[in-house]
Amino acid sequence: AMLGPRPGLSVAFVAAHLLAATSATSYFVAPEQHEQQQESLSAAEGGDGTRGSPLPSIAACVARLRSPGDECRLLAGTYREATVAVRGLRGTAAAPIVIAAAEGAEVVLDGTAPLSGAWQPGGKGSWELTVPSSATPLGGVTQLWLGREMATPARWPNALWSDRSVFNFSRWRTFNGSAPWGPSSYKRGQPMTLYDAGGADGLGASGLSAKGAMFIGNIAHDDTFVGTVTAHSAGDDSFEVTMGPMLDKMGNTKAGNSIYFLEGLPSFVDQPTEWAFSPADRKLRLLTADGASPEQATLPVSHKVQTYALNITDCQHLTLANLSFFGTTINAAGGIPHLTLDTLDFRCEGRRSEV
């Protein structure tokens, strides 16, 4: 005999699908300064996730995303949080999970923090600040901003980020083509001797000791290598460089069209907006644009404290939209099926890169 329809099962099936279609929830989050303005909320408790009572952090909002179609909507403002782990989220093609700015909101995820303290006069008109280890979660001062403009890591020969002269190859130094060429006899882990081209603008004439500086060399206008100056005496045009332990060969023996510059020593700080950090004594040296103490500067001094704002793992059908990132970025390694990046604005040095 043929079986007739089973109304009970049909109703249950339809009800389940209706419930799934209507279970998606939009949660709202506000930055800390917004929270402080809400007398009914405490920083410890936060809100319930509605627009009128937003959650206190992106992390708290992401923790509530469970079902396809769920959304975390960020209200306008600047967010400074520890890296938010975004993992295990399962949207669908029809109902992706969304982390995005609320409609019309300007949202910035900021990976920098201000530097404060008592600045003392340093050499060559610069200022120095002792930075405690608690203020440097990345181990030291690795990137510095004056306002929203990235300051220049101290280098020789001089060049600046602010006028983009760091990209001008005439601001690099050349090698002595008549001297022995270190890369031709390079051996992994062993120092090689290089010779500056000399002259009035040469390394020897600068009077600087380059020992401990970072070496950045573009060899034969082809490959760029990074190492450490392990031996040099002020007044000498020759210096020794040790490359990283993973470099097994240089692969080129042309000195005539190779160039280099040095970076990172406090003694290199001699032009406005240039800086250097010494891990040994944790002193940050900075030459401000007007020479005044950073404590009196109109542009705040801040530094990088975060590598990633969002760390995305084990997700699918996830959308990030209408967010700006300053001094930080996102990590989505290991394959994230159907990850959509819609109008993301990344800024690290006063300019923007939009996705």
Side-chain angles (χ1 to χ4, degrees):
M2 296 187 63
L3 296 176
R6 301 174 66 184
L9 289 179
S10 298
V11 170
F13 179 80
V14 171
H17 277 259
L18 285 175
L19 179 60
T22 58
S23 62
T25 305
S26 292
Y27 300 98
F28 290 87
V29 58
E32 184 179 357
Q33 58 266 36
H34 176 94
E35 208 177 284
Q36 292 172 347
Q37 296 170 0
Q38 309 300 308
E39 294 183 0
S40 61
L41 302 178
S42 71
E45 296 176 355
D48 59 10
T50 61
R51 179 182 285 270
S53 181
L55 294 166
S57 67
I58 300 173
C61 192
V62 168
R64 298 200 179 195
L65 301 177
R66 296 183 178 85
S67 304
D70 279 358
E71 297 183 339
C72 180
R73 291 288 178 174
L74 281 63
L75 298 176
T78 298
Y79 293 76
R80 294 183 176 92
E81 297 186 22
T83 301
V84 177
V86 182
R87 58 174 172 262
L89 301 183
R90 297 286 187 271
T92 65
I97 290 178
V98 176
I99 301 173
E103 184 176 357
E106 293 188 8
V107 171
V108 178
L109 278 65
D110 194 338
T112 72
L115 279 169
S116 59
W119 291 81
Q120 303 296 327
K124 301 178 183 178
S126 66
W127 295 87
E128 289 187 341
L129 175 70
T130 300
V131 183
S133 57
S134 59
T136 55
L138 300 182
V141 178
T142 60
Q143 200 169 6
L144 198 73
W145 286 266
L146 303 177
R148 283 314 204 195
E149 185 69 37
M150 192 173 76
T152 305
R155 56 169 282 167
W156 181 90
N158 279 340
L160 291 170
W161 275 101
S162 58
D163 62 7
R164 305 307 183 248
S165 59
V166 291
F167 300 109
N168 185 341
F169 282 170
S170 69
R171 299 295 188 93
W172 296 44
R173 279 298 295 170
T174 56
F175 295 98
N176 184 343
S178 300
W181 181 230
S184 64
S185 58
Y186 170 79
K187 294 182 180 179
R188 186 202 298 253
Q190 296 185 15
M192 61 180 174
T193 301
L194 297 169
Y195 296 83
D196 183 84
D201 296 326
L203 179 59
S206 73
L208 296 167
S209 171
K211 184 177 180 180
M214 179 188 295
F215 165 86
I216 299 93
N218 185 263
I219 306 304
H221 289 184
D222 186 12
D223 297 322
T224 298
F225 299 92
V226 177
T228 301
V229 178
T230 49
H232 177 250
S233 298
D236 196 346
D237 282 324
S238 67
F239 56 100
E240 290 186 357
V241 172
T242 300
M243 312 302 284
M246 300 302 294
L247 182 64
D248 58 353
K249 62 181 179 179
M250 298 290 287
N252 200 295
T253 58
K254 298 177 182 178
N257 55 356
S258 298
I259 53 179
Y260 79 98
F261 68 90
L262 306 175
E263 186 176 280
L265 294 185
S267 58
F268 292 171
V269 177
D270 64 353
Q271 60 178 341
T273 72
E274 205 169 37
W275 67 276
F277 176 73
S278 172
D281 57 12
R282 303 200 60 82
K283 288 188 181 298
L284 171 66
R285 180 176 291 188
L286 169 66
L287 187 58
T288 58
D290 59 3
S293 168
E295 296 177 66
Q296 302 169 350
T298 56
L299 297 177
V301 180
S302 59
H303 72 119
K304 185 178 182 68
V305 295
Q306 183 182 76
T307 303
Y308 301 116
L310 305 175
N311 187 36
I312 304 169
T313 57
D314 188 30
C315 293
Q316 63 185 27
H317 291 290
L318 174 67
T319 295
L320 307 182
N322 302 315
L323 302 172
S324 293
F325 298 79
F326 186 84
T328 187
T329 186
I330 62 174
N331 182 44
I336 308 297
H338 308 290
L339 173 64
T340 299
L341 308 179
D342 183 0
T343 317
L344 304 183
D345 183 9
F346 296 90
R347 303 187 183 208
C348 284
E349 45 86 17
R351 293 190 173 185
R352 59 191 291 178
S353 176
E354 191 169 285
V355 177

